[in-house]
Amino acid sequence: MYKGYITDIEGIKVGHAQNFDAGTGLTVLIPPKGNTASVDVRGGGPGTRETDLLNPVNTVSEVSALVLSGGSSYGLAGSIGVVEELEKDGIGFKVPSGIVPIVPQAILYDLDYKSYKIRPDKKMGSDAYKNASFDENRQGIIGAGTGATVGKALGKEFSMKSGLGSATICLGDLKFSAIVAVNAMGDIFDDEENKQIAGILKNNKFIPTLEVLEKISEKNSLNTTIGIVATNGKFSKTELRKIASMTHNGYARAIRPVHTMMDGDTIFSLATNKVDADINLVGSLGAKVMARAIANAIYFSNIENSCEFI
């Protein structure tokens, strides 16, 4: 397991809410004022909210919160609860009549894990917001990772539990962290150990997804990995778009294959703008910390003190 959690970045709060019986959940990240954010969507089947706003050519650079959620497109309702709580707290983009909270969101497909009918909703979003803490550090089967699984390509019976992972890298005063809910079609690797740690498991042996790719049915392969990379470095929205793009290399190192037509892979990038930093360094280490976080999503979802077992 790798060390660190995204709340290692000063000023960031994280909150979770989930329904373990239904097998779904939601995670909200609340950054400090003065942040900048962007996004890079790579998968062929994304589900998102307000990602167009984070394009560098568009107006708003600062976000009020970021949401990662299960529930497929139904789960987009979860951000409404976050928006309403932010409004109560007076946090958002100022308009003549008041404020409009800026809450981009990405979702993953977990409807077939336990209950199709129960998904993240407005109340779950509100609960996650109220639960948010500067000290949150749980990983595994929690929040957006509650219903995450991998290795579903040949059917649910050969799948493995995944979840939510996080990690941090520090260089002097500079920090970069990642948080990710891993629900991929591809095999999962610990990149730094150069070993496969999850995927299609049959008779206690991994079956490489690439070897069965032509046999895969779309009904067994509705997936998506969604994550956030954050730094205390100073970056513009344009620079953060590039950092999100470079961080997708962490997906490629840890998920094989990745960015398929049956994945909706998305990475948000966020800066709290406290420390001068080089974009090449942060983008490169963003990929490294994301790969670590993906490995942690597997490790923390398959240990005895995890929140739940499959």
Side-chain angles (χ1 to χ4, degrees), residues 27-308:
T27 295
V28 59
L29 182 150
I30 304 168
K33 291 189 67 174
N35 70 80
T36 48
S38 192
V39 68
D40 190 348
V41 181
R42 294 286 180 92
T48 57
R49 177 185 191 272
E50 289 199 324
T51 50
D52 284 349
L53 195 62
L54 299 183
N55 187 312
V57 303
N58 293 331
T59 302
V60 176
S61 297
E62 182 173 339
V63 296
S64 309
L66 295 170
V67 175
L68 306 178
S69 170
S72 191
S73 61
Y74 297 107
L76 292 171
S79 60
I80 301 303
V82 177
V83 168
E84 291 184 355
E85 295 298 334
L86 285 162
E87 183 184 23
K88 292 175 187 175
D89 288 342
I91 300 171
F93 182 76
K94 291 184 179 180
V95 295
S97 299
I99 57 167
V100 177
I102 306 301
V103 184
Q105 179 182 7
I107 52 89
L108 57 80
Y109 185 91
D110 58 6
L111 298 178
D112 298 329
Y113 175 53
K114 287 190 175 180
S115 173
Y116 172 82
K117 288 295 186 179
I118 298 175
R119 309 108 178 191
D121 56 12
K122 184 171 76 170
K123 182 180 184 304
M124 189 176 285
S126 176
D127 289 345
Y129 180 88
K130 292 174 182 177
N131 292 337
S133 166
F134 295 115
D135 300 318
E136 177 59 64
N137 63 3
R138 288 174 290 175
Q139 301 188 55
I141 305 169
I142 195 75
T146 301
T149 53
V150 296
K152 301 181 287 286
L154 293 183
K156 190 175 179 180
E157 63 269 32
F158 303 117
S159 67
M160 291 181 63
K161 192 70 187 80
S162 182
L164 191 78
S166 193
T168 298
I169 295 175
C170 301
L171 282 179
D173 293 332
L174 182 63
K175 295 180 180 180
F176 5 86
S177 297
I179 190 168
V180 61
V182 181
N183 195 58
M185 185 188 83
D187 306 322
I188 310 300
F189 287 77
D190 182 326
D191 176 63
E192 294 177 52
E193 296 292 331
N194 193 29
K195 66 179 182 181
Q196 185 174 350
I197 56 176
I200 304 170
L201 191 63
K202 187 175 183 180
N203 297 325
N204 293 318
K205 293 183 180 180
F206 289 124
I207 300 175
T209 298
L210 281 173
E211 290 185 6
V212 298
L213 204 56
E214 292 183 356
K215 303 176 184 177
I216 292 175
S217 166
E218 287 191 13
K219 68 182 178 66
N220 289 332
S221 301
L222 297 168
N223 309 285
T224 295
T225 298
I226 49 177
I228 304 166
V229 63
T231 178
N232 61 352
K234 298 177 182 178
F235 293 104
S236 68
K237 186 160 72 164
T238 300
E239 291 171 321
L240 284 169
R241 179 66 174 266
K242 182 61 177 177
I243 287 170
S245 174
M246 294 175 73
T247 300
H248 270 286
N249 291 330
Y251 276 19
R253 293 174 190 174
I255 305 169
R256 310 174 198 173
V258 71
H259 303 147
T260 73
M261 296 304 292
M262 293 170 282
D263 289 292
D265 301 329
T266 300
I267 295 177
F268 294 105
S269 52
L270 183 135
T272 60
N273 298 309
K274 300 297 182 183
V275 178
D276 290 328
D278 177 73
I279 186 172
N280 296 305
L281 175 64
V282 170
S284 298
L285 289 175
K288 185 181 183 73
V289 78
M290 181 59 76
R292 286 184 173 186
I294 290 170
N296 276 346
I298 302 300
Y299 291 142
F300 279 90
S301 297
N302 293 277
I303 57 177
E304 289 184 2
N305 63 350
S306 188
C307 297
E308 184 204 35

